[in-house]
Structure formats: structure tokens, C-alpha cells
Amino acid sequence: MTHTHSSINKPSAEQRMQWAQQICIDNKARLTAQREHVLRLILDSSKPITAYELLDKLRQSQANAQPPTVYRALDFLLEHKLIHKLRTINAFYSCICPGDKHAVLFLICDNCSESTEIVEPNLMGQLHQRITKSGYVSDFPLLEVLSTCPSCAAA
Ligand SMILES: [Zn+2]
Ligand SMILES: [Zn+2]
């Protein structure tokens, strides 16, 4: 991957879809129409989206879509590191540097669930050292920080 890790220039949904397609080719994994559809819904969402919300959206074009369809697609997208799972809010969000294993800091708005992925190798390196010092193992920690987003803070 040649894309840069920057939390300032957020790549477009189109750009991220192209990356995803290339990552799947590199991984010899099949981005089926169904998986691509679920990924598209996540990329188009301005906020993290839950599995139920995905199912609702999927049913707009496939009336008989069932939960396992969504869960299988999510498993695939997580396995190939195209999306992140945010446990604090039980939702899924696109990754700004998909395909790479990376430690992640997510700022999540406690009020509106607006979220921002921040890639700070130095900060996360320090966190990794501290985790290791404690005897815990977490090669690529994902830190979710509940906070207040700029627009909610201004309101
Ligand atoms: Zn990421
Ligand atoms: Zn907010």
C-alpha cells in the first residue's frame, strides 16, 4: 500500500473502496457483491454503523436479507482489515489505512457517536510499551476514547 497514514486528509469513500478492492486482490480474497455492498454502506456512513442499521439499509434493496448475511460480510471485512469494530458503541466504521495492521486511537463522541480514527505511531508505541511492561500482550491495541466531538462541544 502506498497511501499515507494521515488523520488530517480523510480519504474519500471512493478511494477507500478502491483500496479495499486492491487489498482483496492482494489477499486473494473474493470481495463478493454482497460483501462489497456492506462495505459500501459502511464507507458511505458518516458515523459508525451498527449491524442492525446495516441490515435495515441492506433490506432497502434486498427485502429478504437476514442477519447472518450481514455478520458474515462483517467478519470478512474485519478479517481483511477493511473496517474497525468499535466495542464501546457496538458499531462498525471504515478504516483510514485499510489492510495494514496498526494500533489505533478512536475518539468517539459520547453524545452523537461521531468518531475519528487517529494514527499516531509515537503515542501508540508508548502505549504498546506500557502494555508490555504490565505483562499484557496487545500487538495492535485499539483504544476507544469516549469524549465530546467538536460540534457537540460547540452546541
Ligand atoms: Zn484503521
Ligand atoms: Zn457529537
Side-chain angles (χ1 to χ4, degrees), residues 78-140:
L78 285 167
E79 183 191 335
H80 293 281
K81 301 177 181 60
L82 305 178
I83 60 171
H84 287 294
K85 180 178 187 175
L86 302 179
R87 290 173 195 273
T88 21
I89 54 173
N90 204 14
F92 300 86
Y93 204 32
S94 59
C95 174
I96 58 170
C97 41
D100 286 344
K101 284 182 176 173
H102 54 282
V104 182
L105 167 64
F106 258 101
L107 302 179
I108 302 170
C109 181
D110 215 357
N111 186 46
C112 72
S113 78
E114 164 86 35
S115 299
T116 299
E117 177 176 358
I118 293 175
V119 180
E120 285 280 357
N122 291 340
L123 182 65
M124 299 314 277
Q126 283 183 11
L127 178 67
H128 183 250
Q129 280 178 12
R130 189 63 190 82
I131 291 169
T132 306
K133 198 175 152 193
S134 301
Y136 283 69
V137 177
S138 177
D139 290 339
F140 300 99

Side-chain angles (χ1 to χ4, degrees), residues 12-22 31 36-37 39-40 43:
S12 68
E14 219 36 63
Q15 177 69 70
R16 279 180 285 184
M17 180 55 86
Q18 283 174 20
W19 288 345
Q21 287 162 344
Q22 187 57 50
L31 188 64
E36 188 170 320
H37 192 163
L39 177 60
R40 170 74 60 191
L43 292 178

